[in-house]
Every structure is written in C-alpha cells, then in structure tokens.
Amino acid sequence: MAVLFDQFSYRINKTTDGLYYDRWHGKVFPEISMPEKLYFLNSIIAALLTHRQLIIRADSIEELIDCIGFNAFKLIYNRGELRILDNWWFPTFMYNADIVFFMNMHEKQYQDKVCNRLKGRIGAEASYYIMGIFKDICNSKDSDMYDYWDHLAQDNMYEDFTFNNRIRALLSISSENTLKICTEEDTWSATRLCLFERSLEWAKQLSTDEIILEEEAKQYLVYKSNIQTENIIDKFNLILRAKGIPNLSILYYNEVISMDDILRVRDKVAFGKFINWLEDNQYSVKELELALLNGKPKSSQIEKWIRWAFVCGMPFLLPQVGQSLGGIGLSFIEQLLPQFSGQQIPNLYFDRVLTAQFNTKKLNHKLQSKFGF
C-alpha cells in the first residue's frame, strides 16, 4: 500500500505582526536548511524502503525535488512509486489585538508559478517535465474531492479547538473558539491543529498504511484519540542503527548513495515479501519487534536498542558524519527466500538485503574518502 508524505506542510512561517501563514506565502521557494533536509530525507528513504508507494500533494513537488534531486524524482515517478495529487491549500490565521483573520484558500492556478520557479532554480528540463505531470493530474474529477477533504479537516479543527478539553489543555487554549481568538499563542494552535486534522483526514480518505506526522503533531494524536504514534517508519531508522547499517540520509545528502541504490532494494523479491508481511500484520510495530527478536538477529544489539526506544521514547538521532560504522554486507536474500517464511522475513530483509546493499565497510570508506580522511 501507500503512505502520504505530509511533513512539508508543517513548515509554518510567522511575522512580527502575529500572522501565521503557509510556507508558500509570497510565491517564492521556501528554502530548506541542511538539518531540515536530513530530517526529511530520513523519512523519505524510510518510507521508500517500507511502503509500495509515496503520495504527495502538488504543493510538495518542489520541496521533494530539492531533497532527493530531480533525476531521482523523475525516476520514482516514472516507475509509479510516487503519486502526486492535485491540491494546493494554504490556511492562514492572524491575531491582531481584538481582530482575527482566517483565510482558507485553495490555489487553482499554481502550475505556471511552479514551472517558472523550477526553470529558474533547476533548468528547463525540470520545468517541462513537471508541466507534463500537471497536464495529467490537474483539474481532474478528483480535484474537487481533495478540496472537500480539506473542508472536512477544517471542521474537525474547529471541534478540537472548541470542544476537545484534552487538546485545549495540552495547548493551553484560552480562546472560546477560532472566531474569537484572543491570544497569539491560540492563533498558532489553530494553525497547527488545522494541519494535523488535514493529515488525519487525508490518510483516512486515501486508506494509507501509516500517517507520517511531524513530532509536535504526534502529541495531538495521543491527546485526541489515545492512539500511540509510533510507526514503522520511526522504528525503521532505529532498527538500521541497531543492525549496524549507517545513516542513509547522511549518505544520500553527501552523494555516497543514490536513488538507484534504494531502487535496487525495491526491485528485489525480498522487498515485496517484506511489504506483504507488513500488510498482513497491519503495519504493527509490536509485531515487527517480536519478529526481529524471535528471528535470531545477528546480535543482541537489536534487542538493546528496541528496549531503549520503548523505555525512553526518544527520536532517532543522527550520528556524526565521521563516526565509525560497524557491520558487514551479506549475500542476497533471493538465494535464501525459498527456505524461509513468516516471522523470519523481516530479519532476512534487514540482515541480508539491506546490509548487502548498504555495506557498512564500503560506505564508510567512501564517506571518509569524500572528506579526505
């Protein structure tokens, strides 16, 4: 199945006058810093290695290209592993003394602006290619339906802000409702809740396997529905570290690995087997942990890291670039698959396929050579 990549949406801006606005306000590209890019790459790579398809809205095209590169973007789109939906929405809240402005607007004529920005930043080829995508996806019979999902999300935000006492307590909301916002902090809360409900509504409508929320929004989900927010993508990076596999986002950012390396994994029989296993187990983090612990992992390190994550609830931390990376590459899983099934599939995917493709010793040497060590 697929996963909606919605993390770019949470890049909210703020002016000194108390205006909270969408990242595309002003119609210029919202530059992505190096730490942001590593954060997004972490989730993008994990999503590609744990799901069949990545879904984005049209307003995320330029940011995805900036993170993974145009050639990689074109590659996964041509292979059908990236799906783009015709939607461009920019909610805006403003608190100014006793006056609050709320604008919920859908941009319909964004195509030329996107292509012009791409032409200036990347080149004519990227501009022409994306225009071809827009001709396929824009103003389709589904476009109005996507706008309707946003209105449903807005209604849910009103309910959270006004009636959900747990959410109101978490965010210290003092305003009666969104039409009577009396503090700048409540303006911020309304904006974030709007985006949070949008992620939930779209994931529900698209029937995705998982929801990728940014860190603050995960707290909202716990307080709203008592739903724990840990997902396979979060756990994936922790498992890689426990298995001695280097941080893939840093390697990708430094051009030590490329999208071709990721697609080589996706093209293997074992990737399909692993995805089928995840779907059969409803993308349960608990089932994945049990399978890894019961499937005779190559060391006790995996158990140590999983227990540490469970107790501390800490996010995955990026290692230093120059850190020594352990582990060795092993033979390909296709030679072994007929002998294994069930609970052993996750271990084979991590221990055989991923460690072979992302050979720690080789990648560590390439990274050090790149920086002259």
Side-chain angles (χ1 to χ4, degrees), residues 271-371:
F271 174 77
K273 294 280 187 180
F274 179 61
I275 296 301
N276 289 339
W277 186 92
L278 289 174
E279 291 172 350
D280 290 343
N281 288 277
Q282 300 180 323
Y283 273 79
S284 168
V285 171
K286 181 178 180 181
E287 290 300 323
L288 179 59
E289 290 178 350
L290 289 173
L292 291 171
L293 292 172
N294 295 332
K296 297 182 180 179
K298 57 183 181 180
S299 76
S300 61
Q301 186 73 359
I302 184 68
E303 181 174 3
K304 173 184 174 182
W305 275 100
I306 288 178
R307 293 186 184 279
W308 175 84
F310 179 79
V311 173
C312 300
M314 294 292 289
F316 175 70
L317 300 177
L318 298 175
Q320 296 297 320
V321 172
Q323 182 177 336
S324 176
L325 306 172
I328 57 173
L330 300 173
S331 59
F332 294 104
I333 196 171
E334 286 91 334
Q335 303 170 13
L336 302 172
L337 273 174
Q339 306 172 37
F340 298 95
S341 61
Q343 293 290 86
Q344 293 170 314
I345 288 176
N347 272 286
L348 290 171
Y349 179 64
F350 283 99
D351 287 343
R352 310 289 181 179
V353 174
L354 292 180
T355 53
Q357 183 62 51
F358 304 113
N359 182 285
T360 304
K361 185 175 181 180
K362 180 176 69 175
L363 293 177
N364 188 35
H365 177 72
K366 288 179 66 177
L367 186 61
Q368 291 178 345
S369 299
K370 189 175 182 68
F371 289 94

Side-chain angles (χ1 to χ4, degrees), residues 43-55:
S43 297
I44 293 167
I45 293 172
L48 287 172
L49 292 175
T50 55
H51 293 77
R52 297 188 189 279
Q53 190 179 57
L54 195 66
I55 301 174

Side-chain angles (χ1 to χ4, degrees), residues 130-175:
I130 297 302
M131 182 56 74
I133 293 177
F134 287 152
K135 289 179 180 178
D136 292 335
I137 69 169
C138 291
N139 302 315
S140 69
K141 63 180 181 179
D142 293 328
S143 298
D144 290 338
M145 178 180 66
Y146 301 146
D147 293 352
Y148 175 65
W149 294 354
D150 288 336
H151 289 297
L152 291 176
Q154 179 183 316
D155 290 341
N156 293 336
M157 178 273 292
Y158 287 149
E159 184 173 340
D160 289 342
F161 190 96
T162 307
F163 302 112
N164 191 314
N165 290 329
R166 297 187 70 189
I167 290 286
R168 288 176 63 85
L170 171 67
L171 300 176
S172 301
I173 295 174
S174 58
S175 304

Side-chain angles (χ1 to χ4, degrees), residues 51-254:
H51 293 77
R52 297 188 189 279
Q53 190 179 57
L54 195 66
I55 301 174
I56 63 170
R57 303 185 188 89
D59 62 0
S60 295
I61 289 175
E62 293 170 80
E63 290 156 305
L64 184 61
I65 290 175
D66 194 60
C67 285
I68 68 174
F70 172 65
N71 289 334
F73 176 94
K74 185 168 65 171
L75 191 59
I76 59 176
Y77 185 79
N78 288 346
R79 288 166 52 105
E81 291 159 335
L82 173 65
R83 179 183 174 194
I84 303 172
L85 307 181
D86 175 27
N87 183 265
W88 197 295
W89 183 51
F90 43 102
T92 305
F93 290 83
M94 181 176 183
Y95 165 74
N96 185 6
D98 295 327
I99 303 172
V100 63
F101 299 97
F102 168 61
M103 294 174 283
N104 175 10
M105 296 175 286
H106 284 95
E107 176 70 64
K108 291 298 185 182
Q109 304 300 323
Y110 59 82
Q111 297 91 342
D112 288 341
K113 299 182 184 72
V114 171
C115 291
N116 287 335
R117 284 193 297 261
L118 285 171
K119 185 176 181 179
R121 294 180 59 252
I122 300 176
E125 180 188 357
S127 176
Y128 180 79
Y129 181 81
I130 297 302
M131 182 56 74
I133 293 177
F134 287 152
K135 289 179 180 178
D136 292 335
I137 69 169
C138 291
N139 302 315
S140 69
K141 63 180 181 179
D142 293 328
S143 298
D144 290 338
M145 178 180 66
Y146 301 146
D147 293 352
Y148 175 65
W149 294 354
D150 288 336
H151 289 297
L152 291 176
Q154 179 183 316
D155 290 341
N156 293 336
M157 178 273 292
Y158 287 149
E159 184 173 340
D160 289 342
F161 190 96
T162 307
F163 302 112
N164 191 314
N165 290 329
R166 297 187 70 189
I167 290 286
R168 288 176 63 85
L170 171 67
L171 300 176
S172 301
I173 295 174
S174 58
S175 304
E176 182 179 344
N177 55 55
T178 54
L179 301 179
K180 297 179 180 179
I181 295 180
C182 58
T183 70
E184 189 174 323
E185 290 75 18
D186 287 355
T187 310
W188 171 254
S189 296
T191 307
R192 304 289 288 187
L193 282 172
C194 208
L195 295 169
F196 161 71
E197 286 292 353
R198 188 187 187 208
S199 295
L200 292 188
E201 185 63 35
W202 277 67
K204 180 181 75 173
Q205 297 288 352
L206 292 168
S207 300
T208 60
D209 296 307
E210 294 190 297
I211 304 171
I212 304 179
L213 299 172
E214 56 90 52
E215 295 305 318
E216 185 174 332
K218 292 178 182 179
Q219 298 181 54
Y220 303 166
L221 187 59
V222 175
Y223 276 73
K224 178 181 172 68
S225 305
N226 287 321
I227 298 175
Q228 297 303 309
T229 58
E230 190 175 44
N231 57 39
I232 294 295
I233 291 176
D234 292 333
K235 185 64 64 177
F236 181 82
N237 291 306
L238 184 64
I239 296 170
L240 290 187
R241 187 173 182 180
K243 294 285 188 180
I245 298 173
N247 185 285
L248 301 183
S249 62
I250 290 178
L251 296 176
Y252 193 99
Y253 181 83
N254 288 290

